[in-house]
Amino acid sequence: MTEPFGIRLRRAMDERGPLCVGIDPHASLLADWGLNDDVAGLARFTRTVVESLGETVAVFKPQSAFFERFGSRGLAVLETAVEEARERGALVLMDAKRGDIGSTMAAYAETYLRKDSPLFSDALTVSPYLGYGSLKPAVDLARESGAGLFVLALTSNPEGAEVQRAVREDGRTLAATMLGHLAAENAGAEPLGSFGAVVGATLGDLSSFDLAINGPLLAPGIGAQGATPADLPKVFGDAVRNVVPSVSRGVLRHGPDAAALRDAAARFAEEVRTALD
């Protein structure tokens, strides 16, 4: 059987450093690299990132939307990137933020979490705001496949607060409710559960939330969005060791030079290690 995602993630971060690098081929970033905003540019960009960093970073996080905008040819580039990244030993976290109900949610889960799918990924971002129970098909298939989920809980975008910090009749916020569900999913898992939360690194003091879910905390917002590795301890408190800091433009802007990409990723990883220590 495949080892659970939480075990593989902990090992990858211990061995390669606690860093997730996004693969976000914005049109502006392609232009900065001297590439056309077309499938050929997309393929060149993605291949360069994977080949440059695939043997050193712990996690890649491709943003599916930037591939989907090119239709089936863009998805073919994404399929190749997922396969090649995993062949190089990196974990792949597909940033697709899927969320639906019933058979539709099951189909999304099969797309990314079924082992024989061309887009099979080590983990997937999902949205729980049709009710946490709507994620059950993804939770079940993730367990079966040894994959993981990252559930949107406290995101870095300002608009998220109107939903995530809304208070239920029982006095808990929706975000706290989602964190509680994840803690239950991860109960008893060692050394780390496979069901994580997305918690923005730009949010400041989160001491009013219980982030001790025994699972990973994906922390976007480092680099271009303004957060730094030094901010992580004050944002995440005692849960900081389970943080998976995510950097995209802060690394990608150094391309297309492979050595510059590697240096930027290594620098961020070292800054994270220093902050965690």
Side-chain angles (χ1 to χ4, degrees):
M1 294 179 64
T2 302
E3 285 184 305
F5 172 70
I7 294 175
R8 293 183 289 119
L9 176 62
R10 172 59 70 203
R11 181 166 60 240
M13 291 199 297
D14 288 346
E15 294 177 355
R16 293 183 170 214
L19 189 67
C20 168
V21 174
I23 306 179
D24 296 0
H26 298 263
S28 60
L29 194 51
L30 295 178
D32 290 344
W33 280 37
L35 301 171
N36 292 330
D37 186 23
D38 56 20
V39 174
L42 176 75
R44 175 72 179 274
F45 176 93
T46 307
R47 183 172 59 250
T48 300
V49 173
V50 172
E51 290 180 351
S52 299
L53 302 177
E55 295 181 2
T56 56
V57 300
V59 185
F60 279 125
K61 183 173 69 66
Q63 171 46 258
S64 180
F66 292 114
F67 297 85
E68 292 174 30
R69 69 192 184 100
F70 293 103
S72 60
R73 293 182 299 163
L75 287 174
V77 173
L78 181 58
E79 290 176 7
T80 298
V82 169
E83 180 182 5
E84 293 184 351
R86 299 188 76 240
E87 286 177 351
R88 285 171 166 79
L91 301 180
V92 174
L93 163 55
M94 184 63 68
D95 194 0
K97 299 182 178 70
R98 298 305 191 225
D100 216 304
I101 61 172
S103 60
T104 308
M105 189 67 234
Y108 281 136
E110 290 174 4
T111 302
Y112 301 103
L113 303 173
R114 194 187 71 237
K115 281 193 170 184
D116 60 353
S117 168
L119 283 171
F120 173 74
S121 303
D122 297 282
L124 171 69
T125 58
V126 291
S127 174
Y129 293 106
L130 287 173
Y132 184 84
S134 67
L135 300 180
K136 187 175 187 303
V139 171
D140 290 346
L141 190 52
R143 288 194 187 280
E144 179 183 329
S145 302
L149 297 177
F150 284 88
V151 176
L152 303 180
L154 288 159
T155 57
S156 55
N157 63 304
E159 304 87 349
E162 69 180 86
V163 174
Q164 296 155 15
R165 298 189 188 232
V167 179
R168 293 161 31 108
E169 290 183 355
D170 63 4
R172 291 198 302 167
T173 62
L174 290 182
T177 300
M178 298 309 162
L179 292 168
H181 284 303
L182 293 169
E185 300 285 5
N186 294 322
E190 293 182 2
L192 189 67
S194 297
F195 299 93
V198 179
V199 179
T202 58
L203 296 179
D205 183 6
L206 293 176
S207 58
S208 61
F209 292 92
D210 186 1
L211 300 179
I213 62 170
N214 192 34
L217 301 166
L218 180 67
I222 293 175
Q225 293 185 47
T228 70
D231 295 324
L232 295 175
K234 65 183 178 183
V235 175
F236 292 94
D238 292 341
V240 72
R241 187 170 182 272
N242 293 338
V243 168
V244 185
S246 179
V247 179
S248 296
R249 283 169 288 176
V251 170
L252 301 178
R253 65 183 177 84
H254 294 278
D257 182 80
L261 286 168
R262 286 192 290 269
D263 288 346
R267 185 165 57 251
F268 270 110
E270 185 57 35
E271 290 177 6
V272 170
R273 283 195 190 94
T274 299
L276 299 189
D277 289 341

